[in-house]
Amino acid sequence: MTQYDELTEFLLRLGDSALIQAQRLCEWTGRAPAIEEEMGMMNVGLDLVGQARNWYEYAAERINDGTDADVLAFRRDERAFRNLLLVEQPNGDFAVTMTKQFFYDAWQFHLLTILKDAKDERISAIATKSLKEVIYHLRRSSQWVERLGDGTDESHQRMEKAIDAVWRFTVELVEKNAAEMALAESGDIPSLAELPEQWLATVNKVFAKATLTVPDAPSTFYLSARTGMHTEYLGILLAEMQFLQRAYPDASW
Amino acid sequence: MYAQQVETGVKAVKSLAEMGPEERAFQEKIDAEIKIEAKNWMPDNYRKTLIRQISQHAHSEIVGMLPEGNWVTRAPTLKRKLQLMAKIQDEAGHGLYLYSAMETLGADRDEEIEKLHSGRAKYSSIFNYPTLNWADMGAVGWLVDGAAIVNQVVLQRTSYGPYSRAMIRICKEESFHQRQGYEILLHMMRHGTQAQKDMVQDAINRLWWPSLMMFGPSDAESPNSAQSMAWKIKRHTNDELRQRFIDQTVPQLEILGCTAPDPDLKWNEERGHYDFGEIQWEEFYEVLKGNGPCNRERLETRRNAIQDGAWVREAAVAHANKKQKQQAAA
């Protein structure tokens, strides 16, 4: 299994997370609770595939062995994917989907806000462009969390169940990581030291409005996207997403 | 054409002399190509026919997302994925836009959707066919959107103002989808492997006849055409539009290097049009009756979407009410 340099791994973490989150949104096509939400989910999904492509293109340049964004997206196995475990979790009901979206959006928002000031111009440019989109994503998912949390008894219960189902995967959003600290020290990216508190503050704020309880600090072991130790859901997702590229390796689409 | 066999509720078209003063003024406006607007007087049957036609069209946009949803999770490259997602998003937008145009006639979106779900309203028969390989995403764009455009371009001049304006906007996006669909196929034919070329021909073989059926039965079998034409809800007959579609599509088919599954398809110098074989109308009527290959699944998916999402919509309403009360109290 190929391990790339730390900055490339970091770019893949961003690109893979965006792509897998978008793939889950695609699964909602024709099944959303309202036509407005069909549009909303596709809209967010489109932004995320676009972001994934930008991160992949930069990663591909760094890898510099003839790979490209499509090869990175469609020809790697699950152990090579660096996406957050959170985004590969199944959609469940609209509450699970929106809870995942919100946790992810809040993470993206704070991370991209930090990265837009990166010295690396490529990272700064992609982060700046993506952030404009993510501000809207976070507003939308925050509003839904609030509506569903503080809506009816049923919607509140569904939200509590949803949070319970995915909370443990948020550990990856708040953990401090040695590789990223090293990247910050060498000046490749700005320091991400503040990110965990910022993410948690956003969750606290929105959950308070939504009358939802923030669980205790999450913990997990063994599983980690950084080493490609995914849940079983990712393999199936990739089997579907990568089908054509895998079945017809010589094809041009 | 996303609306097929729309009932007008009228047995014979009246002449101006047979009409009362209001109806005569209405018909004279139409004859003079003046648009009818939401607040203008209109015959009851004109209103009902338009509601049926526009809602069918809106339902078709929404149901039409499902065959694409079958492949959007399997699109082969990031570019193709983005294109297909954008197309699906456009279709949801068209659905909303059309439901709004329909609501200007006093119809209710939820009620009309309920008619769809209970099988009392129709949507385009084409979406009851399965999409079985990636080339279907190209062929649907090229043939299905292509057939829809032939109809919709004419509907830009339809007599009802809000519908006409919706068509103008929708046509722009549809022609983009059609070019994109064709480009998917052209790329596979020019740069693809034999397996990919086979996919393209297979997709055309399956979707060719159902696309021709989209224009509805031949003029002799269309009892509602005359009234719809007099009202300028419809501006050309089914056969005229079908012929126009075939004439513009066959040269594109030849550029692809593919064939149509019709041995009788050939240029008729004398007519200046392509001749084509007999359409199997029994199949069309079976699909309309609900017996097509995917009717059951398509409707079930839509019903489930609305049923499974009921708690979400209820929560949104409950939350909005709470907010309103809080604001009133503050």
Side-chain angles (χ1 to χ4, degrees):
Chain A
M1 190 180 44
T2 323
Q3 181 86 18
Y4 300 112
D5 70 59
E6 293 300 354
L7 186 59
T8 306
E9 289 279 321
F10 181 70
L11 297 172
L12 289 174
R13 180 173 169 86
L14 294 167
D16 289 344
S17 296
L19 180 63
I20 302 303
Q21 176 70 12
Q23 175 73 2
R24 287 294 188 210
L25 290 175
C26 285
E27 293 173 11
W28 272 99
T29 303
R31 289 159 177 80
I35 303 167
E36 287 81 354
E37 292 314 304
E38 299 279 355
M39 289 189 77
M41 286 200 257
M42 269 302 139
N43 204 334
V44 173
L46 274 165
D47 288 344
L48 293 177
V49 177
Q51 291 176 18
R53 185 164 64 176
N54 290 335
W55 295 121
Y56 284 150
E57 279 170 0
Y58 187 27
E61 280 173 37
R62 293 181 57 83
I63 294 165
N64 193 25
D65 66 355
T67 193
D68 61 30
D70 283 326
V71 171
L72 289 174
F74 296 101
R75 300 283 180 99
R76 279 180 304 147
D77 291 340
E78 56 199 288
R79 292 299 311 283
F81 265 74
R82 296 291 176 255
N83 61 278
L84 300 170
L85 300 170
L86 174 75
V87 300
E88 73 199 33
Q89 299 311 305
N91 281 333
D93 63 6
F94 195 69
V96 175
T97 292
M98 219 23 102
T99 302
K100 287 196 301 169
Q101 184 76 50
F102 168 63
F103 288 159
Y104 173 65
D105 291 344
W107 179 76
Q108 280 249 86
F109 173 77
H110 292 297
L111 179 58
L112 295 170
T113 303
I114 296 169
L115 292 180
K116 78 175 170 22
D117 297 324
K119 280 200 205 107
D120 183 316
E121 283 176 10
R122 285 290 287 280
I123 292 181
S124 169
I126 300 171
T128 304
K129 184 175 182 292
S130 305
L131 184 61
K132 285 185 191 144
E133 299 163 346
V134 170
I135 288 170
Y136 157 78
H137 301 173
L138 178 61
R139 191 182 306 151
R140 173 176 173 272
S141 58
S142 300
Q143 283 169 352
W144 267 116
V145 167
E146 200 185 318
R147 276 187 209 118
L148 298 178
D150 188 25
T152 60
D153 287 346
E154 182 183 1
S155 70
H156 185 84
Q157 279 166 22
R158 282 179 185 261
M159 280 304 288
E160 284 189 331
K161 236 175 111 179
I163 294 161
D164 185 54
V166 301
W167 181 252
R168 68 186 173 120
F169 300 111
T170 64
V171 70
E172 288 193 303
L173 312 184
V174 294
E175 70 189 356
K176 292 206 162 66
N177 171 261
E180 282 163 13
M181 286 195 272
L183 281 175
E185 263 167 47
S186 64
D188 285 321
I189 60 170
S191 166
L192 304 182
E194 308 284 313
L195 183 57
E197 289 77 35
Q198 290 171 339
W199 180 83
L200 196 60
T202 297
V203 173
N204 277 324
K205 193 178 81 187
V206 173
F207 272 26
K209 280 198 211 166
T211 69
L212 293 165
T213 313
V214 181
D216 295 335
S219 69
T220 189
F221 65 99
Y222 193 87
L223 298 173
S224 168
R226 293 182 195 280
T227 52
M229 298 294 268
H230 288 277
T231 57
E232 290 178 345
Y233 297 114
L234 181 64
I236 303 293
L237 178 151
L238 294 181
E240 181 177 353
M241 186 177 82
Q242 299 179 334
F243 156 66
L244 286 168
Q245 289 268 353
R246 300 290 199 165
Y248 304 95
D250 302 326
S252 165
W253 307 97
Chain B
M1 181 181 285
Y2 283 171
Q4 293 158 335
Q5 293 222 295
V6 181
E7 278 284 327
T8 55
V10 174
K11 293 216 172 66
V13 181
K14 283 188 214 164
S15 68
L16 282 174
E18 292 170 293
M19 294 175 183
E22 273 178 323
E23 189 170 359
R24 192 179 310 145
F26 164 85
Q27 187 63 49
E28 280 168 352
K29 245 170 127 177
I30 288 184
D31 294 344
E33 298 287 336
I34 298 167
K35 296 277 179 254
I36 307 298
E37 296 298 334
K39 286 182 178 151
N40 298 156
W41 185 91
M42 60 185 85
D44 222 27
N45 281 325
Y46 175 85
R47 184 186 299 276
K48 283 183 186 153
T49 305
L50 267 174
I51 292 172
R52 272 188 217 112
Q53 181 166 334
I54 302 174
S55 67
Q56 264 195 43
H57 191 161
H59 299 333
S60 300
E61 296 282 358
I62 301 304
V63 177
M65 292 160 63
L66 297 175
E68 289 167 339
N70 185 41
W71 279 97
V72 70
T73 54
R74 290 179 287 170
T77 64
L78 294 169
K79 175 180 149 187
R80 296 301 182 201
K81 201 175 191 74
L82 284 165
Q83 285 177 346
L84 190 54
M85 290 169 80
K87 182 168 191 267
I88 292 169
Q89 191 193 25
D90 285 347
E91 281 152 2
H94 295 172
L96 280 179
Y97 202 58
L98 285 161
Y99 283 127
S100 301
M102 179 200 77
E103 287 186 322
T104 64
L105 291 156
D108 177 74
R109 171 172 141 187
D110 292 343
E111 277 173 27
E112 296 305 317
I113 289 175
E114 176 45 38
K115 283 184 195 162
L116 168 72
H117 292 178
S118 61
R120 286 176 292 150
K122 284 184 277 212
Y123 56 92
S124 182
S125 54
I126 191 82
F127 300 120
N128 291 310
Y129 290 84
T131 50
L132 299 177
N133 76 46
W134 169 253
D136 286 29
M137 293 303 98
V140 165
W142 173 46
L143 295 175
V144 176
D145 289 60
I149 292 166
V150 166
N151 181 51
Q152 289 168 4
V153 161
V154 191
L155 284 177
Q156 294 181 37
R157 295 189 296 117
T158 197
S159 61
Y160 187 56
Y163 192 29
S164 154
R165 291 189 287 275
M167 280 301 118
I168 290 168
R169 184 161 143 179
I170 288 170
C171 271
K172 283 187 195 146
E173 291 180 353
E174 296 278 18
S175 38
F176 187 68
H177 297 161
Q178 193 205 10
R179 280 201 299 276
Q180 222 161 45
Y182 189 68
E183 197 267 328
I184 287 176
L185 301 181
L186 196 61
H187 186 93
M188 288 170 83
M189 291 306 295
R190 294 214 169 142
H191 307 285
T193 60
Q194 189 56 47
Q196 288 179 285
K197 291 176 188 170
D198 294 346
M199 282 179 206
V200 175
Q201 185 61 58
D202 174 52
I204 294 169
N205 288 348
R206 283 180 287 105
L207 288 165
W208 180 261
W209 288 109
S211 299
L212 299 188
M213 291 178 202
M214 283 174 70
F215 294 93
S218 75
D219 300 343
E221 305 293 322
S222 297
N224 300 301
S225 274
Q227 181 61 67
S228 284
M229 300 268 280
W231 281 336
K232 296 190 181 169
I233 291 175
K234 211 173 164 168
R235 308 221 45 158
H236 293 277
T237 69
N238 296 348
D239 285 335
E240 280 168 2
L241 293 173
R242 185 169 13 249
Q243 185 70 59
R244 186 180 296 184
F245 173 70
I246 291 171
D247 289 348
Q248 75 182 37
T249 303
V250 174
Q252 296 167 357
L253 182 72
E254 284 164 1
I255 292 170
L256 281 180
C258 292
T259 57
D262 178 1
D264 299 323
L265 184 71
K266 57 175 178 297
W267 179 250
N268 183 327
E269 195 63 54
E270 212 171 298
R271 289 204 308 128
H273 292 292
Y274 283 91
D275 289 338
F276 55 97
E278 192 101 19
I279 293 174
Q280 300 301 306
W281 290 110
E282 312 84 73
E283 179 178 319
F284 173 77
Y285 288 115
E286 279 304 305
V287 175
L288 274 200
K289 268 195 278 175
N291 300 326
C294 299
N295 296 58
R296 197 177 277 257
E297 290 82 355
R298 299 288 188 242
L299 273 186
E300 200 168 275
T301 303
R302 289 308 307 152
R303 271 197 296 266
N304 288 345
I306 295 304
Q307 277 167 18
D308 295 350
W311 69 270
V312 176
R313 299 189 303 277
E314 282 159 19
V317 171
H319 181 74
N321 289 341
K322 279 185 200 178
K323 280 272 205 193
Q324 215 168 20
K325 267 188 203 157
Q326 280 167 5
Q327 274 168 356

